[in-house]
Amino acid sequence: MTQALRFALLLTAGLLSQPALSATATDQALMADPGRASGVLQQQGIRAQITALKRTTLGAEMAGRITRLVGQPGDSFKKGALLARFDCAEQKALLRKAQASEKSASTELKVSKRLVELDAGSTLEVSKAEARLAETRAEKSVMNTRVNKCQVLAPFAGRVALRKAAEHQYVQLGAPLLEVFAKNALEVRLIVPSRWLAKMKKGDPFKIAIEETGTVYTAEVIRTGAVVDPVSQSVEIAGRIQDASSKLLPGMSGWARFPYE
């Protein structure tokens, strides 16, 4: 993305060096005709792209057969929602075995302590019973963890970007299942002239016309890059669209105009 934006900046360098329309003229164009305003921004603006702050690939935490995989590309989900489930019959059986062993060890410890109270047992037997109980509890904890890995829950509220597996498919540990992103955590990435850093600050407003929606939005600068490209004398910055709508998606692009020129 950075290379594409840098290339767009170089292509529009000639346009950027020309005198820009006044803020008043641009604002009037935006209010009067959003379609025409988009063209004005394209002629005098900088290429921008929307990206997702939270975008990740959810993978299988165990090897096994998928019994359920929720969501097609574009589908929404809530935080904590079940996204995938694996065949977990073996893991659940081993968990029940561990629970039974814990119960038996607990009973054995109680008997050993009672025998000591009646002077019919030894403290050594009590110690052995305590160690066995601790061991069975650890085994149960391990099996509980394995059972929990039989399902994949949504780490945040978002949407499905890509589906990388299918129900009834057998996958290995770490195999990708779904690529997801947080729908309310979008930002705009742009490559701007590095000389703007002298006057640019967090919170500065700018306009951005998104081509896919045909809409002009108001945005603000939220972050500037830490490295300047010495060849193109440019730097990457990030912005946030203030009046973002549900129509905006990662990968959408457009043209942004700043009041610095």
Side-chain angles (χ1 to χ4, degrees):
M1 178 201 71
T2 299
Q3 293 298 330
L5 290 177
R6 183 174 291 111
F7 182 66
L9 173 64
L10 295 175
L11 288 178
T12 57
L15 294 175
L16 289 173
S17 62
Q18 299 175 2
L21 289 179
S22 66
T24 301
T26 302
D27 290 341
Q28 290 176 350
L30 295 175
M31 292 183 291
D33 187 350
R36 179 175 175 275
S38 178
V40 171
L41 289 174
Q42 180 171 345
Q43 293 176 7
Q44 301 194 14
I46 290 177
R47 194 68 177 166
Q49 188 173 58
I50 295 178
T51 62
L53 280 174
K54 294 181 180 179
R55 181 165 182 160
T56 186
T57 298
L58 302 178
E61 296 189 50
M62 60 173 286
R65 183 175 61 86
I66 302 172
T67 59
R68 186 179 182 189
L69 189 62
V70 179
Q72 296 292 337
D75 287 350
S76 299
F77 53 82
K78 297 180 179 179
K79 181 178 180 178
L82 176 68
L83 298 180
R85 179 181 289 135
F86 288 81
D87 182 358
C88 214
E90 180 181 357
Q91 288 80 358
K92 289 180 179 180
L94 291 174
L95 175 59
R96 290 193 295 269
K97 179 181 177 181
Q99 291 171 333
S101 296
E102 180 192 27
K103 184 177 180 180
S104 174
S106 178
T107 301
E108 182 180 337
L109 177 59
K110 291 178 181 179
V111 171
S112 297
K113 287 182 176 180
R114 181 57 178 165
L115 289 175
V116 169
E117 293 174 356
L118 298 174
D119 292 329
S122 66
T123 55
L124 178 60
E125 294 300 323
V126 172
S127 297
K128 289 182 178 180
E130 288 175 341
R132 182 170 180 271
L133 178 59
E135 181 180 358
T136 57
R137 284 177 174 172
E139 291 176 354
K140 187 183 76 169
S141 178
V142 169
M143 293 314 306
N144 263 322
T145 300
R146 291 182 180 176
V147 169
N148 289 337
K149 290 181 178 180
C150 292
Q151 58 183 17
V152 178
L153 304 180
F156 46 72
R159 301 179 70 179
V160 177
L162 293 173
R163 187 181 174 103
K164 298 190 173 185
E167 290 184 357
H168 311 299
Q169 179 181 349
Y170 186 93
V171 297
Q172 297 295 331
L173 174 66
L177 303 175
L178 295 170
E179 186 174 333
V180 299
F181 66 90
K183 57 185 178 181
N184 294 325
L186 301 177
E187 71 176 20
V188 182
R189 297 282 182 87
L190 316 92
I191 300 295
V192 303
S194 57
R195 64 180 181 274
W196 287 5
L197 292 177
K199 44 194 170 183
M200 179 180 288
K201 62 183 183 297
K202 184 178 179 180
D204 282 357
F206 63 94
K207 299 290 185 180
I208 178 170
I210 301 299
E211 294 176 341
E212 287 82 1
T213 64
T215 304
V216 177
Y217 301 90
T218 299
E220 64 177 351
V221 176
I222 59 173
R223 187 174 64 255
T224 59
V227 179
V228 173
D229 188 316
V231 178
S232 63
Q233 293 185 320
S234 61
V235 63
E236 184 180 70
I237 70 165
R240 179 189 297 114
I241 296 179
Q242 297 174 338
D243 49 350
S245 68
S246 59
K247 294 181 180 180
L248 295 177
L249 297 173
M252 288 183 174
S253 59
W255 297 88
R257 183 181 185 278
F258 291 79
Y260 306 128
E261 296 267 343

